[in-house]
Amino acid sequence: MKRIINVIISSLLFLLIFSALIFGAEEEFRLDIDDLYLSEGTSTNLVISLKDTKGAELVEVEGLDNFQVLSKRSGSQTTIINMERSYSKQYHYVIMPKEVGEFTLQGVVEYKGKTYRTNKLQIKVEERKVNHNQDNSNIFIRTTLSKDKIYFGQKIILKYDLFTRYNLENYGFLEEFNFNDFISQVKSQDQLKANYVYLDGKKYIKYEVGQIILTPTKTGKLKIPDYPFQANISTGDFFSSSKATYFNTEAKTIEVLPLPQEGQPEDFTGIVGNLQLDSNLADQEVEYGDSTTLNIKLTGDVNLDSLDKILDNDISGFEIYQTQKDKKEEIRGMEYYAEKNFDVILVPKESGELNLPEIKLPYFNPEKKEYEYATIAAKTIKVNGGVKKVQQNLVASSNPAKESQNKSIEISQINTTAQTDEGYYTFKIKKNYLKIALATIGLLILLMIIYLAVNRYKGSEDEELKEYYKQIKKAKDEEELYHLFNQIIKYKYNISLKANSKAELSARISDVELLANIYEIIDYIENKRYSGNEVSLDMKEKIKEIYKKINN
């Protein structure tokens, strides 16, 4: 009897467990979000949960087109709690609002041939709360414009700076820059720097993540859009070494004013900005057949794109040759800086005192809101000899009494020259061209000497680096290789691979390709030490590649 009772109890328990596994919990379709109140440039997590609906699929999330989807993933799991089986599938989104307003989100799900809807969420998005001190944030991105109101033709600077108190694995923009109403010049990543700063007494690492020179292509109010940005914060967790954080840069509006027509000079070429002009005349006294050069340097927060020559007209008494030597564009702090250098070579066509007239360059001064002229003062150039002597010879040869004598002398000279130069090639060259050629040759010789001296200096300077590399070639195991490689990095960049984070390395070493190779060695060593992963890497060959790069 007791045995029969035990069998019955066991059967009931089996049926109870089986029914729990078969029927489980009630079906559920749910939509959740971290925060119903958002501001521009703030990301949040959105989760769609499908509970006990195996085979159900999410069709869409209505209203999601008002948000940027920064990342998306899904997963499913089955759990048994208190004898009840539960199956769930979740869709995880990281989203960021595109604009201010109120929006409704609701999921649409298909399950067993029917369409179901989740609960609705009412999201309110407010304008970005600008806090320049950012004293309540350990990581943020700042958008800065050099000017928000300019005249057509001016250039402005747009900067993006990332401030963090965390160690970062990596970071970057999630979209390419696209400035529809501007011509843009983006500073390359290897020119961007990182340094430590203090904000309200707190220490941050400041990364320059974007610097752009913008030139508007039309007038009016032009918008610079916001861009999504991702930073991966180092967690120190072995299984998940970083956590993604998302931002949106701040959208900006620039008002571009048209240039005034009133008072615009006829010879205005489009130079806009604060122009400084310096000039220097090489020689104010020359021999006939020689030349002199007028050096002109234009600098300032000024757009010089339209200027390709200084003089539009000839100057009486001179042959003119104009060349543009150098052009430079830089970002200095939050100011645009341009520089152009011109050489105007002046070859006198006659002797005596020749006048070089005043040279005037029109430009628009945006601070004074009027057109002005940058001027080069008039100068007098004294030309000795040449034409006067030729004229005297012509007068003498026109005298009939001396004509036969002149002819005989001329013939005698020709005969003498022919006898002297027999078996040789002869040619003539202007003195000024000869001087230019000799100066060029001299400059090339000087540059070669400097080059050889610098190479010799480098060779002596890096003896310690070479010694480390010799030891690396003799090293017998990877731990010894890594130790010596660390010594090379410490010697070259004054930072340790063992004691400093990757973020600190990236702040010290600006070469992105070099950093990637260094990280490859660090990751290989750490994986081998702590996870036992069998990843192959020829460390000596990789170190050789890095050594060649840093030793150049």
Side-chain angles (χ1 to χ4, degrees):
M1 185 68 180
K2 186 176 181 180
R3 185 177 178 183
I4 294 173
I5 292 172
N6 288 335
V7 170
I8 293 171
I9 291 172
S10 299
S11 300
L12 289 172
L13 286 172
F14 174 77
L15 288 172
L16 182 62
I17 294 171
F18 181 77
S19 61
L21 293 175
I22 292 295
F23 297 105
E26 187 179 351
E27 299 168 352
E28 184 180 6
F29 308 93
R30 184 169 181 81
L31 184 64
D32 292 291
I33 196 169
D34 283 356
D35 197 341
L36 294 173
Y37 299 94
L38 304 175
S39 62
E40 289 179 295
T42 304
S43 65
T44 190
N45 295 303
L46 180 72
V47 181
I48 299 95
S49 303
L50 312 181
K51 187 177 179 183
D52 294 306
T53 55
K54 195 167 187 177
E57 292 293 334
L58 178 66
V59 177
E60 66 171 323
V61 179
E62 294 177 344
L64 195 60
D65 55 345
N66 296 304
F67 297 80
Q68 291 175 315
V69 178
L70 302 174
S71 70
K72 178 183 176 181
R73 61 184 176 86
S74 62
S76 60
Q77 63 178 359
T78 301
T79 57
I80 299 175
I81 302 175
N82 296 329
M83 306 301 294
E84 291 188 359
R85 185 189 69 166
S86 176
Y87 169 83
S88 65
K89 185 173 184 178
Q90 291 186 329
Y91 297 84
H92 295 265
Y93 294 82
V94 177
I95 62 173
M96 187 180 293
K98 294 180 179 178
E99 57 187 347
V100 173
E102 295 187 6
F103 308 101
T104 301
L105 296 177
Q106 186 175 31
V108 179
V109 181
E110 280 191 0
Y111 178 53
K112 294 183 178 180
K114 295 182 180 180
T115 299
Y116 297 85
R117 291 180 177 271
T118 68
N119 56 303
K120 290 183 179 180
L121 295 177
Q122 298 293 330
I123 313 297
K124 186 175 181 180
V125 181
E126 299 176 339
E127 290 185 358
R128 179 192 301 267
K129 297 176 181 178
V130 179
N131 178 5
H132 293 293
N133 293 326
Q134 298 286 349
D135 54 4
N136 61 343
S137 177
N138 289 321
I139 183 169
F140 62 94
I141 193 165
R142 181 180 292 173
T143 307
T144 314
L145 267 180
S146 59
K147 299 178 179 70
D148 56 13
K149 188 174 184 179
I150 61 174
Y151 280 91
F152 184 74
Q154 278 187 275
K155 297 194 179 190
I156 54 172
I157 305 303
L158 172 64
K159 278 190 177 183
Y160 298 111
D161 294 314
L162 177 67
F163 296 81
T164 178
R165 302 186 70 199
Y166 301 116
N167 287 330
L168 301 182
E169 290 287 335
N170 48 56
Y171 54 81
F173 287 93
L174 301 178
E175 293 179 5
E176 293 289 333
F177 292 130
N178 183 20
F179 304 102
N180 291 327
D181 299 323
F182 301 87
I183 297 170
S184 60
Q185 297 165 261
V186 181
K187 200 171 184 181
S188 62
Q189 289 294 318
D190 58 358
Q191 293 179 291
L192 302 179
K193 300 176 182 178
N195 61 290
Y196 290 102
V197 297
Y198 284 87
L199 300 176
D200 293 339
K202 295 180 180 179
K203 186 179 181 181
Y204 288 82
I205 301 178
K206 174 188 170 184
Y207 295 97
E208 296 175 346
V209 295
Q211 292 190 4
I212 305 102
I213 299 172
L214 296 175
T215 308
T217 57
K218 62 181 183 181
T219 59
K221 290 190 176 181
L222 310 182
K223 186 175 181 181
I224 295 174
D226 54 359
Y227 290 99
F229 187 89
Q230 176 179 342
N232 293 328
I233 300 172
S234 178
T235 61
D237 192 323
F238 174 76
F239 295 101
S240 178
S241 62
S242 64
K243 176 184 177 182
T245 303
Y246 299 92
F247 314 93
N248 246 23
T249 63
E250 185 181 356
K252 294 284 186 178
T253 300
I254 302 172
E255 185 177 0
V256 182
L257 304 173
L259 292 172
Q261 295 300 310
E262 184 179 352
Q264 187 177 105
E266 292 183 3
D267 54 348
F268 177 67
T269 59
I271 302 174
V272 181
N274 297 304
L275 176 65
Q276 287 86 47
L277 184 150
D278 292 309
S279 65
N280 176 61
L281 183 64
D283 297 296
Q284 287 193 256
E285 183 174 351
V286 297
E287 296 297 321
Y288 180 80
D290 289 346
S291 66
T292 185
T293 302
L294 179 64
N295 309 112
I296 301 169
K297 182 178 181 181
L298 301 99
T299 60
D301 179 8
V302 58
N303 186 346
L304 298 171
D305 290 349
S306 60
L307 185 66
D308 54 9
K309 61 181 179 178
I310 298 295
L311 300 173
D312 287 325
N313 303 313
D314 293 334
I315 298 178
S316 177
F318 294 94
E319 289 183 13
I320 300 172
Y321 303 92
Q322 299 185 66
T323 60
Q324 180 183 313
K325 290 171 54 182
D326 303 303
K327 178 183 177 182
K328 183 191 297 183
E329 285 185 291
E330 295 178 348
I331 298 174
R332 295 186 173 182
M334 278 305 297
E335 291 295 326
Y336 170 73
Y337 174 83
E339 181 180 310
K340 271 192 179 182
N341 291 272
F342 292 88
D343 276 351
V344 179
I345 300 172
L346 304 166
V347 183
K349 296 192 288 186
E350 55 190 77
S351 62
E353 290 190 348
L354 304 182
N355 291 323
L356 180 64
E358 180 182 65
I359 300 172
K360 301 175 70 176
L361 287 177
Y363 69 97
F364 181 76
N365 187 329
E367 291 184 357
K368 296 182 179 179
K369 302 178 182 179
E370 60 185 27
Y371 293 94
E372 296 182 344
Y373 281 93
T375 60
I376 300 171
K379 301 180 187 300
T380 300
I381 300 174
K382 185 178 180 181
V383 184
N384 299 318
V387 172
K388 288 182 178 179
K389 292 181 181 179
V390 172
Q391 287 173 346
Q392 289 173 359
N393 289 337
L394 289 173
V395 171
S397 64
S398 65
N399 188 338
K402 298 181 180 179
E403 185 174 353
S404 61
Q405 184 181 355
N406 288 338
K407 285 183 180 179
S408 65
I409 292 171
E410 186 177 353
I411 292 168
S412 174
Q413 288 173 344
I414 291 173
N415 290 336
T416 303
T417 304
Q419 291 170 1
T420 305
D421 294 340
E422 186 175 355
Y424 297 90
Y425 289 108
T426 60
F427 63 95
K428 294 182 179 180
I429 186 171
K430 284 188 175 181
K431 290 181 180 179
N432 57 316
Y433 294 159
L434 180 61
K435 287 181 178 179
I436 292 171
L438 291 173
T440 304
I441 293 169
L443 179 61
L444 289 173
I445 293 171
L446 179 62
L447 289 174
M448 185 173 290
I449 293 170
I450 292 171
Y451 174 76
L452 293 172
V454 169
N455 275 357
R456 186 175 179 181
Y457 173 75
K458 280 186 176 180
S460 62
E461 183 184 34
D462 288 337
E463 285 301 322
E464 187 172 345
L465 192 66
K466 290 177 183 178
E467 183 59 34
Y468 281 130
Y469 187 64
K470 285 181 183 178
Q471 295 178 40
I472 282 175
K473 290 195 287 187
K474 297 177 183 177
K476 296 180 180 180
D477 58 63
E478 291 183 340
E479 287 297 332
E480 184 182 0
L481 274 174
Y482 189 60
H483 171 73
L484 291 168
F485 178 60
N486 183 48
Q487 293 298 108
I488 283 180
I489 299 301
K490 284 175 68 177
Y491 167 73
K492 192 70 178 179
Y493 299 104
N494 196 28
I495 191 168
S496 170
L497 304 180
K498 299 178 180 179
N500 297 94
S501 67
K502 288 183 177 179
E504 290 170 314
L505 280 172
S506 65
R508 184 66 58 88
I509 304 172
S510 60
D511 190 322
V512 176
E513 184 180 348
L514 176 62
L515 272 176
N517 288 328
I518 294 172
Y519 289 164
E520 190 174 347
I521 291 177
I522 294 173
D523 293 340
Y524 170 74
I525 290 294
E526 290 183 351
N527 285 335
K528 190 168 182 180
R529 284 177 180 172
Y530 305 118
S531 65
N533 289 345
E534 293 297 329
V535 180
S536 62
L537 178 68
D538 189 337
M539 280 188 65
K540 282 192 176 181
E541 191 62 34
K542 180 59 67 175
I543 293 173
K544 179 181 178 182
E545 182 181 339
I546 294 171
Y547 173 76
K548 285 182 178 179
K549 191 170 185 63
I550 64 178
N551 199 34
N552 286 336

